[in-house]
Amino acid sequence: MKKLFTSESVTEGHPDKLCDYIADSILDAYLEEDKYARVACDALASKGEIYITGEISSKANIDVEKVTRKAIREIGYDNEKTDIDYKTCNIIVNISKQSEDIALGVNKSLEQKRGQDIISEGAGDQGIIFGFACDETKQLMPLSITLAHKLSKRLTYVRKENIINYLRPDGKVQVTIEYKDNKPLRVDTIIVSTQHEENVDLNTLKRDIKEKVIQEVIPKELIDKETKYYINPTGRFIIGGPLGDSGLTGRKIIVDTYGGYSRHGGGAFSGKDATKVDRSASYMARFIAKNIVFNKLAKKCEIQLAYAIGVAKPVAVYVDTFGTNTISEEKIIQIINDKFDLTPRGIIKYLDLQKPIYKKTTNYGHFGKEDLSWEKTISL
């Protein structure tokens, strides 16, 4: 039976991703000076203006406006007439300290308060968390989101390296994979929408994107004469970034995870330090799911962890291997419980999450990047 499945990715200049990158840049700046900083910040981008808000408790003294302008410059936004200019945009900062009510539960877990033998902070919020892996790619990620990320990353690369010198930062891509008997067979459809300068001819743009982006990324064996291409299908994409559409932290959560192939938990990632299990436990769940597949305990694995605010241990651990498991799911859960400390402190220590590593997670997915600690493989 043939099926079609589609995933989307966006470039770092997409207005929502601009906001994610600003938030993670602020987080990294605090962690650079204070590894115990509690950070939960968000950014909103609109015409000529960036608004920074959230809750931060730290001994570090950070110039948030300076960090924000640097982040916008790194992405490449320097034109207020077509998107936004890092030099002239208005930046409003409205940050407060973390609520003392939340800190009560985070600083000392409920288990510690009850005298139980658990030394850990409590979870920074309640949350349902998902992790996933499958054997479709060497990264143990779904093929559709893997190819979509490669395309959007290549789109940024050809812009920054002047390989295509008329591109601007904003862009989106989409990849549809045809499956046969639940195995990826071919690429059915590729969509690329990229911001560009006004003087470019559309036919030139389509040719350049196909030759210098798509053909450089998509394996030839996955393309055939039936593959469909839609490159800037509206015909014009000059106004982009925050001038074309407002941006907000945390609005690209499916881009951040598994492209819709697996479920996403209750929260976004960017701008949050590792005491927030929305982020840290999602990384741990991915690590565990990936290693279950890597160790051939299953071909496909989804894990759910559930936390209560102020409580260290997850209240539930769930595993679904979609019938691909080589040992029982009960045994897999036992391995997880025996081998891994799933408290916030246990996760932070195991994955080394108190370092300024978060800017490099922001774009092109938080998973599937081999240099990140939650992507390493071990023997179970």
Side-chain angles (χ1 to χ4, degrees), residues 48 103 143 145 159 201 217 246 338 356 372:
L143 180 60
I145 191 64
R159 169 178 63 86
D201 174 71
V217 167
S246 62
D338 290 346
L372 298 172

Side-chain angles (χ1 to χ4, degrees), residues 237-255:
F237 188 179
I238 295 167
I239 302 299
L243 186 59
D245 191 10
S246 62
L248 185 65
T249 306
R251 276 205 302 210
K252 283 290 173 281
I253 56 177
I254 302 304
V255 172

Side-chain angles (χ1 to χ4, degrees), residues 63-127:
D63 186 337
V64 171
E65 179 178 338
K66 182 178 179 180
V67 171
T68 300
R69 292 193 191 279
K70 182 174 183 288
I72 301 170
R73 177 173 58 82
E74 287 172 347
I75 286 172
Y77 276 129
D78 57 5
N79 190 335
E80 63 183 11
K81 293 181 180 180
T82 59
D83 29 63
I84 197 169
D85 188 340
Y86 74 94
K87 300 185 295 293
T88 60
C89 65
N90 186 35
I91 296 176
I92 301 168
V93 180
N94 182 13
I95 293 174
S96 57
K97 289 187 176 181
Q98 184 185 63
S99 163
E100 292 298 325
D101 293 345
I102 295 175
L104 284 172
V106 177
N107 293 340
K108 183 179 287 188
S109 68
L110 182 64
E111 292 95 327
Q112 281 182 272
K113 293 173 184 175
R114 289 176 173 176
Q116 298 176 22
D117 188 23
I118 294 177
I119 306 299
S120 177
E121 297 79 7
D125 199 354
Q126 72 177 48

Side-chain angles (χ1 to χ4, degrees), residues 9 27 40-41 56 65 90 152 156 171 199 207 211 238 260 274 291:
S9 182
L27 170 60
C41 68
I56 298 177
E65 179 178 338
N90 186 35
S152 58
T156 296
N199 59 356
R207 184 192 66 236
E211 292 179 359
I238 295 167
N291 279 285

Side-chain angles (χ1 to χ4, degrees), residues 21 25 37 55 59 79 146 153 224 301 307 346:
Y21 190 70
S25 296
E55 302 79 44
K59 65 183 182 182
N79 190 335
T146 299
K153 188 174 183 179
D224 58 32
C301 180
Y307 288 86

